Amino acid sequence: GRMIEFLGIGALNLDLVYEVDDLAQLAPVVDLAPGREVVCGREQIAALVELLDRKGRMMARSGGGSAANTVAVLRAMGWRTAFAGALGQDQAGEQVLRSMDGVEMSLVSRGGDTAVCLVVLERRARDRALVLSPASGLRFSLEEAAERVLREAGVVHLSSFVQDEGLELQQKVVVYMCKDQVLSFDPGEVYAAKGVDALKELLARTDMLFVTATELEMLFGRGEVEGGAALALEALAPFRGDWPIPMPVVVVKMGRAGASCYWRGGRVDAPANEVESVVDTTGAGDAFNAGFLHAVKKGRGIEEALAAGHAVASCAIADYGRLWMESTDWRLRLETLEKKWMQE
């Protein structure tokens, strides 16, 4: 087995979670819609924070970034994890580092300002809008250390960077990967908006693709999920039969409508778990990814991986940011699932 079980590569953000009565209140600065992501410059972010401090309420601040969320959860599940990305030499950077407690962070380059992500929740809708301000002074290089860690990782999990340098780094990384390493990829809206051609090299190495129905449509231009998933499968890595699931797979996350997993030759649908109250959907998809990856790494099949994804995601929406991880509820749910696997 390899030294590092999961290596994440993607944006490292400081998430500031705000609640407002109505997203329209922010229209003077930025036009936001529930469930969507926009990218802004520093000045616009500063103006937005000022407006949010007046019109809204700050609910939480926590580490964020899609792959970072997934890896933080996998670490909490007991896996050996590492992360590669960039953080500022600022206080925000220190906060993000603390939020990744226990994750090997020696591959994170420091300099400039840390990326900030404003998570804005509408009181009624509970679905979040994201406003991203990228890190400045990004410097990535694939030195010996990076190559070593890369070679030591069993599963490499990618999510988006706002800056082109980030995508270029990931394109280099997939070239370095060995045949027996698994690539898992959650492009998010930031990458989906770039279109399928920009992601060709990454997709061609991807064994597990995690997307929402919206992202699937952005990438492949097909309104219905089934057609989009079929096109996605054509773009992914060659078949590998040496894993507990028939990779490559396309996992489509549809929130309340559940999730579907497609592979060459079949599909499984899994309804979402019933949830009493939705507090904040930020990172729920990333938590889902962690549950799914955890189950696959444990040698479970697709149905079980989807169930584990839903179990973790349903806990993630019960609190702001990453605060849900502090409760024991989600661990108990996972343990219950795993006991069930053992009995079967």
Side-chain angles (χ1 to χ4, degrees):
R2 291 173 182 274
M3 290 296 298
I4 292 158
E5 287 153 328
F6 294 97
L7 166 67
I9 309 176
L12 283 164
N13 307 331
L14 181 64
D15 282 3
L16 306 177
V17 185
Y18 284 90
E19 195 174 69
V20 292
D21 290 330
D22 190 348
L23 288 175
Q25 294 172 288
L26 308 177
V29 178
V30 64
D31 190 18
L32 292 179
R36 303 310 299 269
E37 302 176 23
V38 295
V39 177
C40 292
R42 292 273 147 182
E43 288 78 32
Q44 207 174 359
I45 285 278
L48 191 54
V49 166
E50 194 209 6
L51 189 58
L52 283 165
D53 285 337
R54 285 208 319 272
K55 306 267 191 194
R57 291 166 296 285
M58 187 193 255
M59 308 310 285
R61 51 170 48 211
S62 73
S66 176
N69 289 336
T70 297
V71 166
V73 178
L74 287 164
R75 171 71 198 102
M77 289 170 173
W79 297 105
R80 294 188 301 274
T81 55
F83 203 83
L87 276 178
Q89 288 281 21
D90 48 12
Q91 206 190 343
E94 295 305 317
Q95 285 179 311
V96 176
L97 264 188
R98 282 199 296 277
S99 78
M100 297 296 284
D101 187 40
V103 179
E104 160 71 44
M105 297 291 277
S106 60
L107 290 184
V108 173
S109 63
R110 303 291 300 269
D113 300 316
T114 296
V116 174
C117 178
L118 300 180
V119 178
V120 188
L121 300 162
E122 225 175 27
R123 250 210 337 218
R124 295 181 315 278
R126 298 319 310 176
D127 196 2
R128 52 101 184 115
L130 297 182
V131 188
L132 296 159
S133 168
S136 72
L138 259 196
R139 291 287 168 272
F140 286 125
S141 57
L142 264 181
E143 293 121 357
E144 283 165 41
E147 278 181 56
R148 179 184 58 76
V149 168
L150 181 60
R151 297 254 180 224
E152 282 178 7
V155 178
V156 179
H157 180 68
L158 308 180
S159 68
S160 67
F161 287 100
V162 172
Q163 311 85 331
D164 293 337
E165 299 98 306
L167 178 55
E168 285 160 24
L169 171 85
Q170 290 171 332
Q171 286 165 337
K172 273 191 217 149
V173 161
V174 300
V175 176
Y176 274 100
M177 285 177 68
C178 308
K179 270 203 163 55
D180 68 319
Q181 291 177 295
V182 170
L183 186 71
S184 151
F185 182 27
D186 188 330
E189 280 194 21
V190 171
Y191 272 8
K194 290 181 186 288
V196 74
D197 282 347
L199 305 178
K200 239 190 351 242
E201 290 130 53
L202 298 187
L203 290 168
R205 179 61 182 79
T206 296
D207 301 296
M208 291 185 255
L209 180 69
F210 294 96
V211 283
T212 64
T214 306
E215 291 153 8
L216 196 60
E217 188 175 350
M218 286 166 86
L219 280 168
F220 297 98
R222 293 286 289 272
E224 25 74 67
V225 168
E226 207 162 338
L231 289 174
L233 280 171
E234 283 171 31
L236 299 187
F239 174 74
R240 34 195 331 171
D242 53 343
W243 269 71
I245 65 170
M247 295 196 278
V249 294
V250 177
V251 181
V252 187
K253 300 176 284 185
M254 296 170 290
R256 285 192 197 96
S260 296
C261 180
Y262 294 82
W263 65 97
R264 294 176 184 141
R267 70 182 264 198
V268 171
D269 304 313
N273 297 12
E274 288 296 315
V275 179
E276 283 152 43
S277 72
V278 177
V279 174
D280 174 14
T281 54
T282 316
D286 308 325
F288 180 97
N289 297 351
F292 191 95
L293 290 167
H294 169 76
V296 170
K297 196 83 169 149
K298 286 260 188 197
R300 313 316 302 185
I302 287 174
E303 285 92 346
E304 293 161 323
L306 288 167
H310 282 319
V312 184
S314 63
C315 296
I317 56 183
D319 210 336
Y320 296 100
R322 278 195 209 152
L323 293 174
W324 64 276
M325 289 177 68
E326 292 165 22
S327 101
T328 54
D329 186 39
W330 67 279
R331 292 169 195 279
L332 292 172
R333 270 192 219 190
L334 257 187
E335 279 166 27
T336 308
L337 265 186
E338 289 179 6
K339 281 194 188 111
K340 212 172 90 183
W341 298 344
M342 291 324 193
Q343 286 155 9
E344 279 164 14

